[in-house]
Amino acid sequence: MSLRDKAVLVSLKRGMLTASKQNAEATRLVEETYAAGVGRFAKTLLADNKLLAECKSASNAIYAYHRKHTLPWMDDGPRLITQAAYLPYLKGLKPLMSDLDAAIAALKDGWDATLAAEKQRLGPLFDAGDYPRAADLDRVIYAVVRVLPIPDAGDFRVDLPEQEKEALNAAVKEAEQSAQADLIARLKSPLERVVTRMGEVSAALEAGEKPRIAKSLTEGIKEVAEIARDLNLGDNPEVEAMIEKVA
């Protein structure tokens, strides 16, 4: 079974409100006071705004979840996920997307008050044109997930030279191997932390101390194992063996 038959690519595209703007007036004032060309100055928009912070937090949670439940692909764009893991991935993503939608809605509802506070904070440096309209906020702040097929030489409508076909197939194979290597590294990392912690506990016991072992230490291993089981491409026996050790 080819990689195309057992996995797909998922891309996550995010947008966020820019929190700074180049300010020509501030730059002019500094240059008049000191010297021309000393620098270009930006003003910070929405400093310490809690509603925007909630949007950023929700967006970051989506990004972290996406990275955690997928495997790397050829570059920093789309990531790999098995077909078996895709529906559970979407199910877990849904409440995170809802959190972002709610945070954007709250920001829109409080937008007039936010701009009034900005005008007071920035004084003569305030420019309403630096900010989007409330109605446009969900076009500026967003997260979109798209699913794509694994590329295949047969996708091209023109005949590729045999050398190009071989290069594409080799790249796909290399990406599959890299994805599996990433999965193995994920499994090894929490195991290594446990081994290190057990060594510390042993040393502490010998010294007559009473060390504590955090419950999260073992819970983290189980969570990684559950994710790894679904992301195991081709039922890699090395991955299966590691999962059995920690599950």
Side-chain angles (χ1 to χ4, degrees), residues 36-95:
V38 294
R40 299 179 66 186
F41 297 88
K43 58 184 175 184
T44 301
L45 307 180
L46 304 168
D48 301 322
N49 183 275
K50 292 182 179 180
L51 295 176
L52 180 60
E54 290 290 335
C55 291
K56 290 180 178 179
S57 178
S59 178
N60 290 339
I62 290 170
Y63 177 75
Y65 175 88
H66 174 71
R67 299 277 299 185
K68 188 175 186 177
H69 291 267
T70 57
L71 296 168
W73 187 240
M74 295 180 185
D75 52 30
D76 290 332
R79 289 175 64 83
L80 193 68
I81 189 169
T82 62
Q83 292 184 10
Y86 181 62
L87 289 180
Y89 163 84
L90 290 181
K91 183 178 180 180
L93 188 65
K94 186 176 181 179

Side-chain angles (χ1 to χ4, degrees), residues 3 72-74 80 166-182 233:
L3 180 62
W73 187 240
M74 295 180 185
L80 193 68
E166 291 176 0
L168 177 59
N169 291 333
V172 170
K173 185 63 178 178
E174 181 180 351
E176 181 178 3
Q177 292 170 348
S178 295
Q180 286 296 88
D182 177 86
L233 296 166

Side-chain angles (χ1 to χ4, degrees), residues 21-226:
K21 288 282 185 179
Q22 292 291 333
N23 189 262
E25 179 63 14
T27 300
R28 183 186 65 80
L29 291 172
V30 172
E31 288 184 338
E32 286 181 355
T33 304
Y34 296 99
V38 294
R40 299 179 66 186
F41 297 88
K43 58 184 175 184
T44 301
L45 307 180
L46 304 168
D48 301 322
N49 183 275
K50 292 182 179 180
L51 295 176
L52 180 60
E54 290 290 335
C55 291
K56 290 180 178 179
S57 178
S59 178
N60 290 339
I62 290 170
Y63 177 75
Y65 175 88
H66 174 71
R67 299 277 299 185
K68 188 175 186 177
H69 291 267
T70 57
L71 296 168
W73 187 240
M74 295 180 185
D75 52 30
D76 290 332
R79 289 175 64 83
L80 193 68
I81 189 169
T82 62
Q83 292 184 10
Y86 181 62
L87 289 180
Y89 163 84
L90 290 181
K91 183 178 180 180
L93 188 65
K94 186 176 181 179
L96 300 178
M97 289 290 199
S98 295
D99 289 344
L100 179 59
D101 289 341
I104 295 170
L107 183 62
K108 292 173 72 172
D109 289 343
W111 197 238
D112 288 343
T114 293
L115 293 186
E118 282 288 278
K119 187 173 183 178
Q120 182 176 7
R121 182 179 70 86
L122 291 173
L125 295 181
F126 176 79
D127 181 354
D130 290 336
Y131 305 84
R133 297 182 307 154
D136 294 331
L137 284 171
D138 50 8
R139 296 191 185 101
V140 177
I141 305 172
Y142 59 87
V144 178
V145 171
R146 292 188 175 90
V147 60
L148 306 163
I150 303 293
D152 184 86
D155 293 336
F156 294 88
R157 296 189 179 185
V158 296
D159 289 334
L160 287 175
E162 196 61 35
Q163 184 178 357
E164 294 299 325
K165 290 181 181 179
E166 291 176 0
L168 177 59
N169 291 333
V172 170
K173 185 63 178 178
E174 181 180 351
E176 181 178 3
Q177 292 170 348
S178 295
Q180 286 296 88
D182 177 86
L183 192 57
I184 291 170
R186 288 195 203 182
L187 284 165
K188 285 182 177 178
S189 180
L191 287 173
E192 290 170 351
R193 286 198 296 271
V194 169
V195 171
T196 298
R197 180 57 183 151
M198 290 301 98
E200 294 171 350
V201 169
S202 178
L205 289 172
E206 290 179 2
E209 301 174 4
K210 296 181 179 180
R212 296 178 61 185
I213 301 176
K215 186 178 180 181
S216 59
L217 190 66
T218 55
E219 288 179 343
I221 295 177
K222 291 180 180 179
E223 182 184 20
V224 170
E226 289 172 1

